Amino acid sequence: MTTAHSRTTAPPAGGAAVPRCLRTRVPGRHDPLETAVRLAGSGAFARYAVYERAGRWWFAGGTLGAVTVRANDVVTEWHGKRRVLPRTRPHPVAELGAALAAAEVPDWRGYGWVAFEAATTAAGRTAADPRRPLAHVFVPRAEVELSPDALDLWCADADVLREVLAAATARPAAPAPAPRPLDVEADDPAPYQEAVRDAVARIRDGRLEKVILSRRVPVPYALDFPATYAAGRRANTPARSFLLALPGLTAAGFSPETVAEVTPEGWVTSQPLAGTRARHPDPDDDARTRAELVTDPKEIYEHAVSVKLADTEMRALCAPGSVSVDEFMSVKERGSVRHLGSRVRGRLRADRTGWDALAALFPAVTASGIPKTAAYEVIEEHEEAPRGLYAGAVLRATADGDLDAALALRTVFTDGGRTWVRAGAGVVAASTPAREYRETCEKLASVAPYLVPAHH
């Protein structure tokens, strides 16, 4: 194990110097997923996050500070000092970025989430409950980057470092528990199909082009979220994955796409996926549905209009001539389904930040609709409760401008004492209610079979 060392950062204006961390590298063979789940299940931290991005894994636990944006105010907590200030910016994501820019840990690394309703309130719609968070990011006391060859640890003090090392290197106490699959077709499909029918009528009347309508399936038992995350991640092929245990919210998800990926150099990428077909274990059936996906006019149209809007949103942010569409309509395998996928990429203008990019691209067009403001109205009319994290984003961000935000789909949630899974389908003029209901079942199959009860 390398020698731990500490570093003191430059203080914020008018503040005292803040100790950044002790840093330690532990070489050796590790399974990143197993180690992340072991840390999450250790009980060392009441608040934690696991985030997987393009082959890199992080565990973040404890709290040096946090920012929470609500409908009317911003709550900051740094080193035990809590402040509540009125909102001054129209978009909650911009408010989040501004509060983090003033963080009392200058070289912070943050983990958190943005609710779908952050966008609807920014568009002028009234929040159902002004006390509920629209966005939340915490800066951890301990962060571990997990790779097969080493653990890289950043900890606020020696006691936390020792606790993290002990949890990360402990042997599993028991074999992994077995999942208890959830039946996602036990409910009556008629209400969802009627909602689709109404949305199609509005689209054909010219009131909008596309809307994503979702349905929620309750989970009637408490979950072991780390074990659920492990079981689901082994069975899925996500663009990003995450596990959250935060105040008022617990979630495990296997995101099929990103909302925004921003580098410190100012390059921003969005990854719209639209158009869906189920995957099958039988090779002939699988080849048939793959061929359907790439030739079906409805799926191609749904994807193309989504990419067009993402391209338009990106051009408003980026330097002229820098925006391009890459991988147009490639096929992405995502657990129980496959999608048509594209990437839109550009260089941010000098007067824009990664938080501006996330605010402009949020919520993902593939989880809201076209135009977005018209889609919000249809969604509110036909869905029984606010979406919260569903179709929002889970993110990791750093003080140097790195920002990665995953679309919160294929996720199981516990919020307000209730647990559920949720899935939607993109409705366009050519949609049929039965097919869109079937698509929600196909997507839920990425999560529902892997739910592990809390009491084994």
Side-chain angles (χ1 to χ4, degrees), residues 89-270:
R89 291 166 176 81
H91 202 296
V93 169
E95 201 77 74
L96 184 66
L100 287 167
E104 295 179 19
V105 180
D107 54 349
W108 56 266
R109 301 171 182 215
Y111 295 79
W113 62 284
V114 183
F116 182 83
E117 285 71 33
T120 63
T121 56
R125 306 190 76 81
T126 303
D129 182 352
R131 298 167 299 176
R132 287 183 62 84
L134 297 173
H136 173 82
V137 166
F138 77 101
V139 176
R141 294 187 64 81
E143 183 186 54
V144 187
E145 183 171 348
L146 308 143
S147 71
D149 300 320
L151 305 178
D152 287 288
L153 298 90
W154 294 262
C155 296
D157 56 65
D159 289 340
V160 173
L161 177 62
R162 283 191 290 270
E163 194 165 8
V164 171
L165 281 172
T169 56
R171 292 184 177 276
R180 178 180 168 186
L182 176 72
D183 182 1
V184 299
E185 299 184 57
D187 62 343
D188 180 5
Y192 182 80
Q193 293 182 3
E194 183 55 38
V196 172
R197 194 172 291 110
D198 176 70
V200 169
R202 298 188 194 203
I203 291 167
R204 291 176 178 173
D205 285 344
R207 285 185 267 179
L208 69 167
E209 287 186 74
K210 173 182 174 179
V211 63
I212 288 74
L213 291 177
S214 71
R215 66 184 185 95
R216 190 163 71 168
V217 181
V219 179
Y221 44 88
L223 293 183
D224 180 329
F225 270 85
T228 295
Y229 174 67
R233 177 60 187 88
R234 291 189 183 101
N236 272 278
T237 49
R240 303 288 189 270
S241 73
F242 52 83
L243 173 64
L244 302 178
L246 301 175
L249 173 70
T250 309
F254 318 102
S255 172
E257 64 183 277
T258 56
V259 183
E261 307 164 39
V262 187
T263 70
E265 297 75 29
W267 286 98
V268 57
T269 304
S270 188

Side-chain angles (χ1 to χ4, degrees), residues 373-440:
T373 52
Y376 300 156
E377 180 179 349
V378 179
I379 289 167
E380 286 183 7
E381 284 188 27
H382 288 292
E383 295 186 1
E384 62 188 49
R387 288 182 167 187
L389 177 57
Y390 174 78
V394 174
L395 62 88
R396 179 182 187 270
T398 64
D400 66 1
D402 186 80
L403 171 63
D404 196 82
L407 178 57
L409 303 178
R410 319 296 148 79
T411 300
V412 56
F413 314 85
T414 291
D415 187 352
R418 296 186 299 170
T419 302
W420 69 91
V421 294
R422 193 166 189 163
V427 181
V428 295
S431 291
T432 60
R435 170 59 207 155
E436 303 305 349
Y437 178 83
R438 174 53 44 198
E439 184 172 310
T440 67

Side-chain angles (χ1 to χ4, degrees), residues 435-454:
R435 170 59 207 155
E436 303 305 349
Y437 178 83
R438 174 53 44 198
E439 184 172 310
T440 67
C441 298
E442 294 166 354
K443 291 173 177 175
L444 287 167
S446 291
V447 181
Y450 311 109
L451 306 178
V452 178

